[in-house]
Amino acid sequence: MDELHYDTRLGPPPPPAPIYDANENLIGYDTIMAERTMTEWQMQLAGFKADSVKLVIAVDDSTRLLKKEEREELLKYFSDKNLILDTSNQTKNYKIKLNRLKADPKLKFKYRSEFPAGSEIWSEEYDFNLSGTTGFSRIQFDTTKSYGILHSGFGCGKLCGTGFRIFIKKENGKWIIEKMILIEIA
């Protein structure tokens, strides 16, 4: 989760407002207001980094199916390993167990089903800070279960989010992220 999540409160303030003359020609930017906004943001930023507020992430209740192209990408990415794909049933979704997700102690997880459907999740008022939404595909493993690929993403608003293709491998008995490739952005 630490690789996917970002605290949207930490995003920089908007750029300074443009100033136009009577003929709609740009003559400059409101740098005084921009400096004031930047100073306020830097004070907020320090407070956000030091606070103990729990940030809630809405997690899809179960995995999604992985697209065929992702399986092909696994073979291509680890082409030097001559992988053979695990062909066990790839049509079943699995319930995501929130208590098994490891993340920064500031993050708290809730199932997506606890929230309004679709983009309405962003229209509601909550008594907590909704930091984002996420979900995961099934993992496609090779037959040795040493390499895998999955798809995940992080949504931070109605028109804000990213999607990643994530390559994983087992190293010294532990799964590590080999590489994350950004494949969607909004």
Side-chain angles (χ1 to χ4, degrees):
M1 282 307 305
D2 294 337
E3 296 289 330
L4 290 173
H5 171 264
Y6 49 92
D7 187 346
T8 55
R9 303 174 306 159
L10 304 181
I19 302 170
Y20 298 96
D21 65 17
N23 295 322
E24 297 296 319
N25 295 314
L26 178 66
I27 56 174
Y29 293 91
D30 186 347
T31 56
I32 294 171
M33 183 55 87
E35 287 176 23
R36 188 176 309 142
T37 301
M38 184 59 82
T39 301
E40 290 170 3
W41 174 72
Q42 287 172 336
M43 290 188 315
Q44 281 183 325
L45 185 64
F48 287 147
K49 286 183 177 179
D51 73 17
S52 60
V53 170
K54 290 283 186 190
L55 304 172
V56 173
I57 297 178
V59 180
D60 289 348
D61 294 41
S62 60
T63 59
R64 296 184 300 270
L65 298 179
L66 195 62
K67 295 179 181 171
K68 182 181 177 188
E69 67 190 55
E70 300 294 345
R71 295 194 250 327
E72 294 166 1
E73 290 295 325
L74 174 63
L75 294 173
K76 191 183 330 177
Y77 184 79
F78 290 111
S79 62
D80 61 324
K81 307 295 184 202
N82 298 316
L83 301 182
I84 299 171
L85 295 180
D86 179 359
T87 57
S88 59
N89 185 356
Q90 292 292 315
T91 61
K92 182 179 177 188
N93 293 325
Y94 293 93
K95 175 91 172 163
I96 294 174
K97 296 176 182 172
L98 298 182
N99 62 344
R100 299 205 52 205
L101 296 177
K102 305 259 189 269
D104 184 305
K106 275 190 171 186
L107 300 179
K108 180 178 178 185
F109 304 110
K110 291 182 178 253
Y111 284 114
R112 181 67 177 86
S113 61
E114 297 176 41
F115 295 90
S119 64
E120 293 304 311
I121 189 172
W122 304 108
S123 302
E124 294 290 318
E125 296 272 335
Y126 305 104
D127 60 354
F128 52 83
N129 186 332
L130 177 62
S131 185
T133 62
T134 193
F136 307 94
S137 71
R138 287 183 53 119
I139 300 173
Q140 171 67 60
F141 293 106
D142 70 311
T143 53
T144 68
K145 297 228 182 336
S146 299
Y147 300 91
I149 187 171
L150 68 145
H151 182 272
S152 187
F154 185 78
C156 52
K158 283 185 181 181
L159 299 173
C160 174
T162 53
F164 293 92
R165 181 176 291 138
I166 305 169
F167 296 96
I168 59 174
K169 69 178 183 179
K170 202 172 236 182
E171 200 169 87
N172 299 322
K174 292 191 178 228
W175 285 102
I176 63 165
I177 295 174
E178 166 79 6
K179 186 169 187 172
M180 290 177 56
I181 299 175
L182 179 66
I183 57 173
E184 302 163 332
I185 192 164

